[in-house]
Amino acid sequence: MPIVLTPFARARLFPREPRGNAIQDCTPEAFQHRLNDEAPFRVLDGYAPFCKLHVHRNWTSTRCLTVPITEANRHQLRSAYEARTKAELPVLVRWFEGVESPVANWLVVILYSREQLAKEGEPIAADWGIVGCLYTMEPEEIPMAPITMLRNALGVEEGGSGVPLDREAYRRSVAFWGNNANWRP
């Protein structure tokens, strides 16, 4: 099953200016090569039939994506309206500043099928395209952010996938993200 890194994921996981909350100690090419050569620890179904999650033991120094919100760190939460790409509308996001998470035990690679990526205007020659990666302590998916679920429900024209909103999954997402936040160096 050939896997390629999409331009969308490359910009987020391997930014031109290295960031502490991106993938560490690995080039995009080496990352892609390893995912094609090493069987995942687990394969999980994603939020739609075109999405799979490949769970790999973290071979880098990449840190966890999220940090629990506590009374001791709540004052370090920040927020702003941001867009993931120039084509998308900005949405409200929040993150920690001045908080560092532990090194992740697992990399949970988010894959979309070739057919879905073509539908979203990002055709690939491989069977699967990497669209993201979660850095976690457990070999499990963390819930998709509520705003991402809403964007997906809006359709590909708004940067989503066209998958209708699952109310129960949305509630689980709100419960998780109400108690956790991403961090930025």
Side-chain angles (χ1 to χ4, degrees):
M1 170 173 76
I3 297 170
V4 297
L5 189 61
T6 63
F8 176 81
R10 180 182 293 261
R12 294 170 60 88
L13 303 178
F14 300 95
R16 287 187 192 153
E17 291 184 32
R19 294 187 325 255
N21 61 350
I23 293 180
Q24 305 294 305
D25 313 320
C26 189
T27 66
E29 295 75 23
F31 186 73
Q32 181 177 294
H33 183 73
R34 184 149 182 166
L35 295 179
N36 279 292
D37 288 350
E38 179 182 285
F41 171 76
R42 288 175 76 183
V43 176
L44 305 171
D45 288 332
Y47 73 103
F50 59 77
C51 180
K52 295 290 179 194
L53 303 158
H54 281 200
V55 180
H56 289 266
R57 192 164 294 283
N58 185 8
W59 67 89
T60 72
S61 64
T62 303
R63 296 185 172 279
C64 287
L65 185 66
T66 64
V67 175
I69 299 169
T70 67
E71 287 307 314
N73 65 19
R74 186 177 305 278
H75 69 281
Q76 293 171 283
L77 279 171
R78 304 292 181 262
S79 62
Y81 283 91
E82 296 180 347
R84 299 179 304 178
T85 68
K86 291 177 183 174
E88 290 183 359
L89 293 172
V91 298
L92 185 62
V93 295
R94 72 177 181 173
W95 67 93
F96 279 113
E97 281 185 4
V99 173
E100 196 171 78
S101 68
V103 172
N105 291 331
W106 302 95
L107 301 178
V108 181
V109 182
I110 306 166
L111 304 172
Y112 276 16
S113 70
R114 171 183 29 226
E115 295 77 19
Q116 180 65 24
L117 287 169
K119 187 176 174 181
E120 294 185 21
E122 205 168 332
I124 59 170
D127 295 334
W128 295 91
I130 301 164
V131 296
C133 187
L134 307 172
Y135 326 132
T136 65
M137 291 306 282
E138 301 299 326
E140 302 289 336
E141 175 184 20
I142 59 174
M144 186 184 301
I147 191 59
T148 304
M149 297 174 105
L150 290 171
R151 180 185 280 120
N152 281 341
L154 290 174
V156 295
E157 302 82 20
E158 299 301 333
S161 62
V163 173
L165 189 64
D166 175 328
R167 294 177 70 83
E168 283 308 308
Y170 187 86
R171 285 185 180 102
R172 286 190 304 273
S173 173
V174 167
F176 177 85
W177 288 101
N179 293 303
N180 294 273
N182 290 324
W183 65 279
R184 295 181 184 177

